Amino acid sequence: MAARFGNFIIFLILTIITFGIYPLFFFVTRQQENTELLIEIRDELKKRT
């Protein structure tokens, strides 16, 4: 019974860490995608002029 409770506590800790890291990961990858799109738009505009 104690081993099951220990595993549950580990599961809870890992869940909290994961949910804490995911928003940061989402924000960083979203910013990278936006930057790449803006660079492509800039390059296209430079080609046209």
Side-chain angles (χ1 to χ4, degrees):
M1 184 69 171
R4 183 179 288 177
F5 185 70
N7 287 339
F8 179 70
I9 296 297
I10 291 171
F11 170 75
L12 285 179
I13 291 169
L14 291 175
T15 301
I16 291 169
I17 291 170
T18 302
F19 283 132
I21 291 173
Y22 180 74
L24 178 64
F25 170 76
F26 180 76
F27 178 75
V28 169
T29 55
R30 191 76 168 175
Q31 288 298 109
Q32 287 175 341
E33 290 174 0
N34 284 339
T35 302
E36 290 172 5
L37 284 173
L38 288 171
I39 289 171
E40 285 182 31
I41 292 169
R42 182 197 65 194
D43 292 343
E44 280 295 317
L45 288 172
K46 281 184 177 179
K47 285 181 185 176
R48 293 181 184 198
T49 58

